[in-house]
Amino acid sequence: TQLLEQSPQFLSIQEGENLTVYCNSSSVFSSLQWYRQEPGEGPVLLVTVVTGGEVKKLKRLTFQFGDARKDSSLHITAAQPGDTGLYLCAGSNNNDMRFGAGTRLTVKP
Amino acid sequence: DTAVSQTPKYLVTQMGNDKSIKCEQNLGHDTMYWYKQDSKKFLKIMFSYNNKELIINETVPNRFSPKSPDKAHLNLHINSLELGDSAVYFCASSPGLAGAVEQFFGPGTRLTVL
């Protein structure tokens, strides 16, 4: 049983489309992070959210932490082929971090 | 300069062998981790060390033994390798214990057990 459920598991879209991926849990987290992993490399941090309801923007990426701090979403506007990768969410409590299984995004030119 | 480095990048070995993976970070971080990523890309923490002391030890077979000779190094030794050990192993480091701090990952070691 995974603590963090990510959906969809796979997503393939055309360049220019918008998309949203989700990270859900029944547990409350003190903070939540989103990482992107490209093939053959380790994950790289995109953002950390710590306050319920918090919204952070990183260029075309918008991250939201749920009010109850149990879930999060990542919205990408006008996706580009360079956005292709595995998007992982990770929730933390008491110095313990757990990763979701990830959403594998493919953006076709 | 590579922040978190792992060697080797690829490791192919026979069942029953013993192997080690080395990890070094030059970021001055206090905390280091080992993760296992399986074929479904699920990233699962195995161990974490803070200032050379074991903090997290998940339900990992005791064939896996981490060793931290100093804060900058966390090596992973695996005894009696099994087919199910095949995966990509990532080392990571962070400036403090996991939480709202960023973890910096190495490039991974792809272990294949034949």
Side-chain angles (χ1 to χ4, degrees):
Chain A
T1 301
Q2 292 184 27
L3 197 58
L4 286 158
E5 298 284 343
Q6 289 191 243
S7 61
Q9 191 175 356
F10 298 96
L11 183 59
S12 181
I13 60 172
Q14 291 296 133
E15 182 176 3
E17 291 183 8
N18 301 332
L19 67 113
T20 303
V21 298
Y22 301 92
C23 175
N24 295 301
S25 177
S26 57
S27 301
V28 176
F29 294 105
S30 57
S31 67
L32 191 138
Q33 297 179 322
W34 284 91
Y35 287 78
R36 181 169 71 206
Q37 184 179 13
E38 299 188 16
E41 299 181 8
V44 176
L45 180 69
L46 295 173
V47 78
T48 300
V49 286
V50 297
T51 306
E54 182 177 2
V55 176
K56 280 192 174 179
K57 293 195 174 187
L58 184 66
K59 297 183 180 178
R60 294 175 293 101
L61 278 59
T62 302
F63 304 85
Q64 183 161 9
F65 201 12
D67 291 341
R69 289 185 289 128
K70 292 183 179 181
D71 53 82
S72 180
S73 64
L74 159 58
H75 181 81
I76 302 179
T77 303
Q80 299 176 1
D83 296 327
T84 294
L86 179 69
Y87 288 82
L88 297 160
C89 68
S92 292
N93 270 322
N94 299 323
N95 302 320
D96 185 22
M97 178 186 284
R98 303 291 160 160
F99 281 83
T103 292
R104 179 166 296 285
L105 172 66
T106 301
V107 182
K108 300 175 185 176
Chain B
D1 285 344
T2 304
V4 182
S5 59
Q6 296 179 227
T7 54
K9 182 145 179 80
Y10 299 96
L11 183 55
V12 181
T13 188
Q14 298 288 332
M15 258 190 344
N17 284 349
D18 303 338
K19 291 293 178 185
S20 291
I21 307 172
K22 295 186 176 181
C23 178
E24 177 181 3
Q25 54 95 4
N26 62 6
L27 298 167
H29 289 166
D30 291 333
T31 309
M32 296 185 72
Y33 312 83
W34 275 109
Y35 287 87
K36 178 181 180 181
Q37 189 171 46
D38 60 27
S39 57
K40 295 183 178 180
K41 303 302 181 185
F42 181 45
L43 196 63
K44 185 175 180 182
I45 191 165
M46 300 173 69
F47 304 100
S48 76
Y49 270 72
N50 180 256
N51 285 316
K52 301 194 312 176
E53 289 190 21
L54 182 64
I55 301 298
I56 293 175
N57 183 355
E58 289 297 299
T59 308
V60 176
N62 57 15
R63 298 182 293 104
F64 290 79
S65 53
K67 286 193 170 47
S68 183
D70 55 59
K71 277 185 2 177
H73 296 85
L74 181 62
N75 303 322
L76 183 64
H77 188 76
I78 315 170
N79 289 327
S80 302
L81 278 156
E82 300 177 358
L83 292 176
D85 297 332
S86 295
V88 181
Y89 291 83
F90 286 98
C91 176
S93 73
S94 65
L97 292 171
V101 294
E102 178 177 359
Q103 292 194 21
F104 293 78
F105 285 81
T109 295
R110 180 174 292 278
L111 170 65
T112 303
V113 182
L114 303 175

